[in-house]
Amino acid sequence: MEEQLDNIPRHVAIIMDGNGRWAKKRGSIRLSGHKAGAEALLRVLNYCEKYKVQYLSVYAFSTENWSRPKAEVDGLMSLLGNFLRNREEELIEAKCRFRVMGRKEGLSESLQKLISKVEASTKGFERQLIVCLNYGGRAELLDAAKKLAEDAARGDIDPQSLTEEKFGSYLYLPDVPDPDLIIRTSGEFRLSNFLLWEAAYSELYVTPVLWPDFSEEDFLSALKDFAKRTRKFGAITEDTTNK
């Protein structure tokens, strides 16, 4: 019997950490860990469909990851290209919109074209898979500030009238709601420059499980933990424990 859960997060974001350690434990190269991580992503995408999570954002490649060895970077980009070529029809059948969040202009022309193709073919769907690629939270804020400054210089916006909502409209994907829950695998307790603006009131869940080993049971544990939390968004809720 399928487990029934209350208070399902609308948007789950995941820092997919531990691919390299997973491969090292098996005496294999790091790229084998990334391949196993890609399979884990497909599983989690299915879990999101099963448990009615509308948005899944994953941290796939940061602006800082370009400093990794060229062979690893090339392998990661190849994995993404293969994912898009091989899984486009599955995304369409699952009615799942694919989007990339980050500095697309920093990617190869061929990968940009492939991303645009899959984004266009899945555009009409409500459920979304958002891959953060060549992404950094600071880079996103910097890019937003640059666009805002350009609009202010043209007289399109009065900086004195700026609100959080208006500033948020300059971010990469302003139509996507902030993540309710951020999961980080491999046991590290940090955001690593991920969704710095959007994560202001996200609930955080850290598990020691390495990303390629992340299972449905692990996903359920995160959802159950989220369901028990009280989200106050800086306000005070009434304490009924002594009544």
Side-chain angles (χ1 to χ4, degrees):
M1 180 177 180
E2 187 172 313
E3 190 162 358
Q4 297 297 314
L5 297 176
D6 296 323
N7 194 26
I8 295 294
R10 185 183 183 196
H11 183 179
V12 172
I14 303 179
I15 301 172
M16 305 181 295
D17 197 11
N19 292 345
R21 274 166 281 177
W22 185 91
K24 185 177 181 179
K25 284 174 62 177
R26 288 159 177 76
S28 186
I29 60 173
R30 290 178 61 86
L31 190 57
S32 69
H34 295 313
K35 289 178 179 178
E39 293 300 317
L41 173 56
L42 290 173
R43 294 196 304 269
V44 172
L45 187 59
N46 289 331
Y47 305 155
C48 286
E49 181 179 19
K50 180 177 180 179
Y51 296 106
K52 312 302 182 187
V53 174
Q54 184 176 355
Y55 297 88
L56 173 64
S57 295
V58 294
Y59 204 6
F61 190 88
S62 75
T63 50
E64 293 79 23
N65 286 158
W66 294 107
S67 62
R68 293 186 176 188
K70 185 177 184 300
E72 183 177 352
V73 171
D74 290 346
L76 282 165
M77 295 302 164
S78 178
L79 275 175
L80 177 62
N82 290 335
F83 176 89
L84 294 175
R85 279 186 289 269
N86 298 332
R87 305 295 179 177
E88 181 179 5
E89 290 303 319
E90 289 182 30
L91 290 168
I92 293 172
E93 290 176 8
K95 297 183 178 180
C96 182
R97 183 179 183 182
F98 174 84
R99 305 174 79 178
V100 163
M101 181 176 179
R103 291 176 168 174
K104 296 179 185 178
E105 66 276 8
L107 305 173
S108 69
E109 184 176 347
S110 60
L111 186 54
Q112 288 184 56
K113 288 180 178 178
L114 190 53
I115 288 169
S116 295
K117 177 178 181 293
V118 180
E119 285 185 328
S121 67
T122 60
K123 189 174 181 179
F125 303 128
E126 291 186 7
R127 194 163 71 91
Q128 299 190 22
L129 169 61
I130 299 158
V131 175
C132 298
L133 185 65
N134 196 20
Y135 174 85
R138 289 183 174 181
E140 181 180 22
L141 293 174
L142 181 60
D143 289 348
K146 288 178 179 178
K147 289 188 290 183
L148 175 61
E150 291 170 358
D151 284 355
R154 287 194 300 266
D156 294 338
I157 184 173
D158 176 8
Q160 296 303 316
S161 68
L162 190 64
T163 62
E164 288 187 9
E165 182 179 6
K166 182 62 179 177
F167 183 83
S169 70
Y170 285 89
L171 299 177
Y172 292 146
L173 297 181
D175 59 300
V176 175
D178 292 343
D180 303 292
L181 172 65
I182 295 178
I183 300 171
R184 179 160 191 156
T185 57
S186 88
E188 302 291 346
F189 285 82
R190 58 178 178 270
L191 285 175
S192 295
N193 201 19
F194 184 51
L195 301 178
L196 298 182
W197 177 276
E198 298 88 342
Y201 284 103
S202 301
E203 298 296 322
L204 305 180
Y205 179 86
V206 177
T207 173
V209 176
L210 301 178
W211 173 243
D213 292 328
F214 194 75
S215 66
E216 183 171 3
E217 182 180 355
D218 298 317
F219 188 68
L220 271 172
S221 293
L223 295 186
K224 289 176 181 177
D225 184 82
F226 174 83
K228 293 185 291 186
R229 302 196 190 182
T230 300
R231 306 185 73 198
K232 297 184 290 187
F233 300 96
I236 297 175
T237 57
E238 184 180 5
D239 184 0
T240 61
T241 57
N242 295 322
K243 290 189 176 181

